[in-house]
Amino acid sequence: MTALPSAHRGKNPQKRSPIHKALLAGAAGVVATLTVVAMIPNANAAASTLGAAAAQSGRYFGTAIAASRLGDSTYTTISAREFNMITAENEMKPDATQPNRGQFNFSAGDQIYNWANQRGIKVRGHTLAWHAQQPGWMQSLNGSNLRQAMIDHINGVMAHYKGKLAAWDVVNEAFNEDGSRRSSNLQGTGNDWIEVAFRTARAADPSVKLCYNDYNIENWSYGKTQGVYRMIQDFKSRGVPIDCVGLQTHFTGGSSLPGNFQTTLSSFAALGVDVALTEVDVTNASTTQYAGLTQACLNVPRCIGITVWGVRDSDSWRSSESPLLFNSGGGAKAAYTSVLNALNSATPTPSQSATASPSVPSSPGPSSSPPPPSGVGRIVGAQSGRCIDVPNASQNNGTRVQLYDCNTQANQQWTYTSGKQLTVYGNKCLDAAGSGNGSGIQIYSCNGQANQQWNLNSNGTITGVQSGRCLDVWSTANGARVQIYDCNGQANQRFSLAQ
Ligand code: XIL
């Protein structure tokens, strides 16, 4: 792995290591930050996959996956290479997960979850309460019976996936085109059904982001967009738990990319929710529309990621319109290149892109420092004063890292690379064994994937690019194991880098 440039190594041994400087620079402000950036020759090297390109600005790029296609190696090869977020296309919907009342079935959903999790890819849950794709027994219910069935369904499914998912589409497609509520059996249970769904969901799994998801809400001046906006505004003002809005972004000949898409995204975000493009497909994969929708997301700090609704055109629910980024043979289309180029030209982090759209309140949370230069150092816990250490100097893949009294040995020497890896012994990487709360942190052979990429933030936290969660230790003792957990601002999630 990259060592310190010899000029820095030899001449000024008492100087702080670049890895240390990177954290300090983030904290110290703009002038120091620019100095560090100037030292990095390849900080903005283009990424060659959608997921890696999106990760440069702290975002994800995902796809919908169908369990029935997981045996197709062209499909799985593209998916594992390009995407760092997965949505189950149908397998986590009510008809799939509760075919008979009280009898849950997670086999297809788990196939997708396990496939993704084994590759360090995060998963969005889709969807819990929806007028469509209900099992037959639910379709025939109404009133308080259906209300209870909805609550039971949310509890049953969320319990199974508790702590495992990045987000849930709690409610899907509840509005008419004119901004009124869609009439459905769920709406018939009372206008409060949506907030009841969200409150139930929050209680069922407090760790997962809760989203409202819909289509034709991309045009800011459209009635449906305004209707959904008013509901989110109302929820936020009354404390109904909601974290995100998913804009499906199915663009057809009739409803293509609106010029005000970015305004829609920033307006929702200004209510205090994240936004995401959740089911993107575009008639004939127009390159200008794909580039434009990508750029709109990149311009809004709280637009956290983009998911396309399938891999190849032949996998699409709209396959006759060839709306995806890969052709049926698995080749990347022109739209793929237009998306990749847009992602690669984004500023490094969402918080930094806040400066590009001053009308939008910047997102809360830590700002990531710019990619720091390569350098070697120890990672010291702010609360414990102890160092991140590979037990017994093991070089075995899968060895969980721990806190231990700092020393000068190689099992505590970490190198931060321009690819955001933290390497030890030259070829092993700090690696998250999963993306959920409590996932273990281990060493593993470096493989370039997002679960081995880390942001060193100006507030001392170290966040996983793949999970967005913070490195965290429950105890200050020697031997305390390191994990990832939701960032909470506490000292057990802060680290400094020292030589
Ligand atoms: C679609 C799937 O892609 C199809 O395979 C299925 O037959 C119907 O549903 N909005 C949504 C998605 O939220 O769940 C839908 O997915 C597409 C529209």
Side-chain angles (χ1 to χ4, degrees):
M1 265 316 113
T2 336
L4 289 176
S6 55
H8 291 172
R9 204 180 343 171
K11 279 188 192 157
N12 203 350
Q14 79 279 18
K15 237 169 112 173
R16 287 189 170 106
S17 71
I19 193 171
H20 187 194
K21 216 191 253 176
L23 276 190
L24 288 180
V30 176
V31 176
T33 302
L34 289 176
T35 312
V36 172
V37 168
M39 292 167 55
I40 318 161
N42 271 331
N44 293 322
S48 60
T49 66
L50 298 169
Q56 294 172 124
S57 69
R59 296 180 172 84
Y60 63 81
F61 206 99
T63 186
I65 287 286
S68 60
R69 297 181 201 270
L70 287 175
D72 174 339
S73 64
T74 306
Y75 181 81
T76 51
T77 301
I78 297 171
S79 302
R81 184 185 69 218
E82 296 291 337
F83 302 106
N84 51 13
M85 182 68 80
I86 293 295
T87 306
E89 186 173 359
N90 289 295
E91 294 77 354
M92 296 188 192
K93 291 173 177 174
D95 56 350
T97 51
Q98 199 182 170
N100 300 300
R101 191 168 189 175
Q103 204 179 85
F104 290 88
N105 182 342
F106 299 109
S107 56
D110 283 353
Q111 250 183 289
I112 292 179
Y113 174 79
N114 292 334
W115 183 89
N117 190 47
Q118 281 156 10
R119 289 160 180 78
I121 303 175
K122 285 199 287 189
V123 179
R124 295 186 83 256
H126 174 80
T127 176
L128 296 167
W130 190 22
H131 68 276
Q133 290 183 267
Q134 294 181 358
W137 64 266
M138 193 184 277
Q139 291 173 33
S140 61
L141 296 185
N142 56 36
S144 55
N145 198 0
L146 175 60
R147 176 65 66 90
Q148 191 58 50
M150 177 189 83
I151 292 169
D152 294 344
H153 182 76
I154 292 171
N155 283 327
V157 177
M158 288 189 74
H160 181 76
Y161 289 108
K162 190 170 182 177
K164 295 181 167 176
L165 303 183
W168 262 113
D169 290 332
V170 178
V171 171
N172 199 32
E173 303 181 347
F175 279 76
N176 289 319
E177 301 303 291
D178 66 359
S180 60
R181 289 287 185 88
R182 178 195 291 271
S183 59
S184 68
N185 60 350
L186 288 163
Q187 183 65 26
T189 68
N191 204 50
D192 63 346
W193 72 278
I194 299 181
E195 64 186 87
V196 169
F198 277 88
R199 291 188 202 280
T200 305
R202 180 67 96 223
D205 182 357
S207 76
V208 68
K209 301 276 187 214
L210 306 179
C211 304
Y212 175 78
N213 194 55
D214 214 332
Y215 63 94
N216 284 355
I217 57 168
E218 293 81 19
N219 186 331
W220 179 238
S221 57
Y222 196 54
K224 187 170 181 178
T225 310
Q226 291 298 309
V228 172
Y229 178 84
R230 282 192 298 272
M231 179 184 75
I232 309 298
Q233 189 175 42
D234 170 52
F235 280 12
K236 293 304 283 186
S237 73
R238 290 190 295 112
V240 177
I242 184 163
D243 306 305
C244 34
V245 174
L247 297 93
Q248 291 183 8
T249 320
H250 293 294
F251 288 149
T252 67
S255 63
S256 52
L257 175 68
N260 58 22
F261 191 31
Q262 186 181 322
T263 301
T264 307
L265 295 173
S266 59
S267 300
F268 276 117
L271 293 175
V273 288
D274 289 336
V275 292
L277 316 190
T278 51
E279 303 183 12
V280 177
D281 48 21
V282 180
T283 305
N284 295 324
S286 151
T287 52
T288 49
Q289 291 195 50
Y290 262 111
L293 67 89
T294 304
Q295 193 60 52
C297 179
L298 293 171
N299 288 346
V300 175
R302 290 197 77 160
C303 184
I304 59 172
I306 300 174
T307 298
V308 288
W309 205 240
V311 180
R312 301 160 299 191
D313 287 333
S314 50
D315 304 316
S316 170
W317 72 313
R318 298 168 56 193
S319 60
S320 64
E321 297 174 70
S322 304
L324 294 175
L325 300 178
F326 293 88
N327 64 34
S328 300
K333 296 162 62 177
Y336 171 92
T337 311
S338 71
V339 170
L340 187 66
N341 288 344
L343 294 171
N344 272 324
S345 63
T347 43
T349 67
S351 44
Q352 286 175 356
S353 67
T355 53
S357 46
S359 60
V360 180
S362 60
S363 60
S367 64
S368 169
S369 57
S374 303
V376 181
R378 291 184 305 227
I379 307 173
V380 188
Q383 191 176 44
S384 62
R386 295 197 156 96
C387 278
I388 296 189
D389 171 289
V390 188
N392 305 316
S394 162
Q395 303 213 9
N396 295 333
N397 283 341
T399 303
R400 288 278 308 261
V401 299
Q402 61 180 9
L403 286 182
Y404 208 80
D405 293 333
C406 297
N407 57 46
T408 55
Q409 288 162 20
N411 62 331
Q412 293 187 0
Q413 293 290 318
W414 301 91
T415 300
Y416 193 63
T417 72
S418 59
K420 299 190 167 207
Q421 295 162 321
L422 280 162
T423 64
V424 64
Y425 314 130
N427 62 353
K428 298 288 177 183
C429 272
L430 194 73
D431 173 294
S435 56
N437 276 333
S439 295
I441 303 302
Q442 58 189 8
I443 57 164
Y444 211 87
S445 301
C446 297
N447 57 24
Q449 287 176 11
N451 64 319
Q452 295 186 349
Q453 293 176 327
W454 304 93
N455 285 314
L456 309 185
N457 301 306
S458 56
N459 63 359
T461 59
I462 299 177
T463 44
V465 166
Q466 196 254 322
S467 64
R469 295 196 156 96
C470 276
L471 276 193
D472 172 295
V473 268
W474 281 112
S475 145
T476 56
N478 275 336
R481 285 179 153 198
V482 182
Q483 59 179 9
I484 47 171
Y485 210 83
D486 288 333
C487 300
N488 58 25
Q490 288 165 17
N492 67 325
Q493 295 186 346
R494 289 201 297 273
F495 298 87
S496 61
L497 283 293
Q499 261 180 327

